[in-house]
């Protein structure tokens, strides 16, 4: 059994009804209007007047404001609960969605039909094998016209925060919720874990990821016939440096 086959057999929707019901959190930085506006503005420019394809379109956090800027947007997503929230929003019915794994799911008639494909907010890590991440780049390339762009926003692995012998980093702490990441530096497997208190009851949730380095993503792009054109530290297009905690990378599909 190959890693890709195993990935498809074990594919699980971690964003079901319970998560979808509270996903749109107006207090979260990712839902701040300034964050949404900056993201949509860059993507609209990169779309260059053409169609855009969002991998993991979710509740439409970016797809809807991008559509409002005149960019026709189509999406791919595994979670029907998340897409149901998209459909409830103004303009949501105008976003076409294919249900399935964004690493392999094809949009009918979508070969070389898009000017832009994009994958934001660490979602490349939801693909938990290297083979699946490579397949994602190939899927983006399939849908892009020559000269089209593929954009990924993802955090830089925080391994410098791990002292010897430790594999856990706390990233959220409050009276009723704790969040921590667990890293396996031998396999690049990680998980984000949440403990939530509700009165006398507690709830635990764990989501698996695979962390990936910028240079590794560049090689995946090369395998899919794309080359790096931009790498920024955020949507403001500030330069990416050794101190950057995330990156927004843009690859362009080459003509063959």
């Amino acid at each position: 059994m190959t890693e890709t086959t195993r990935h498809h057999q074990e594919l699980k929707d971690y964003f079901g009804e319970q998560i979808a019901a509270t996903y749109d959190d107006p207090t979260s930085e990712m839902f701040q209007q300034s964050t949404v506006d900056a993201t949509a503005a860059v993507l609209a420019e990169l779309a260059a007047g053409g169609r855009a394809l969002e991998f993991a379109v979710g509740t439409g956090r970016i797809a809807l404001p991008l559509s409002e800027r005149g960019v026709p947007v189509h999406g791919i997503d595994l979670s029907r609960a998340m897409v149901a929230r998209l459909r409830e929003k103004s303009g949501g019915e105008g976003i076409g969605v294919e249900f399935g794994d964004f690493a392999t799911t094809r949009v009918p008639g979508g070969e070389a039909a898009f000017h832009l494909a994009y994958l934001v907010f660490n979602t490349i890590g939801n693909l938990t094998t290297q083979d699946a991440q490579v397949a994602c780049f190939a899927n983006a390339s399939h849908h892009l016209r020559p000269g089209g762009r593929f954009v990924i926003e993802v955090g830089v692995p925080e391994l410098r925060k791990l002292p010897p012998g430790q594999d856990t980093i706390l990233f959220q702490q409050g009276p009723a919720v704790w969040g921590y990441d667990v890293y396996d530096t031998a396999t690049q497997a990680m998980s984000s874990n949440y403990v939530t208190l509700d009165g006398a009851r507690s709830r635990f949730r764990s989501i698996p990821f695979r962390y990936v380095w910028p240079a590794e993503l560049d090689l995946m792009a090369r395998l899919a016939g794309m080359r790096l054109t931009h790498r920024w530290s955020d949507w403001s297009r500030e330069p990416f440096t050794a101190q950057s905690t995330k990156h927004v990378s843009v690859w362009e599909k080459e003509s063959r």
Side-chain angles (χ1 to χ4, degrees), residues 158 161-162 166-174 177-183 193:
E158 297 188 301
K161 292 184 177 181
L162 289 174
Q166 182 173 312
D167 63 1
T168 302
I169 297 174
L170 184 70
F171 64 82
Q172 184 177 5
Q173 184 177 11
V177 62
W178 292 268
Y180 59 94
D181 289 330
V182 178
Y183 289 83
N193 305 274

Side-chain angles (χ1 to χ4, degrees), residues 7-8 11 53-56 74-79 97-108 110-111 114 127 132 135-136 138-143:
H7 165 74
H8 291 302
L11 200 62
L53 175 63
E54 180 170 357
F55 289 170
H74 202 96
I76 297 173
D77 206 289
L78 185 67
S79 173
V97 178
E98 306 301 321
F99 286 102
D101 175 7
F102 61 78
T104 57
T105 299
R106 300 287 170 86
V107 176
E111 183 174 3
F114 293 89
L127 302 174
C136 175
N139 200 28
S141 184
H142 168 85
H143 288 96

Side-chain angles (χ1 to χ4, degrees), residues 75-86:
I76 297 173
D77 206 289
L78 185 67
S79 173
R80 294 184 181 273
M82 294 283 278
V83 173
R85 295 319 192 272
L86 164 66

Side-chain angles (χ1 to χ4, degrees), residues 20-59:
T22 59
Y23 187 80
D24 291 358
D25 179 2
T27 67
S28 170
E29 181 182 354
M30 65 184 288
F31 281 95
Q32 295 299 305
Q33 196 61 50
S34 58
T35 301
V36 172
D37 287 344
T39 306
V42 172
L43 293 174
E45 181 179 322
L46 293 172
R51 299 172 63 194
L53 175 63
E54 180 170 357
F55 289 170
V57 67
T59 64

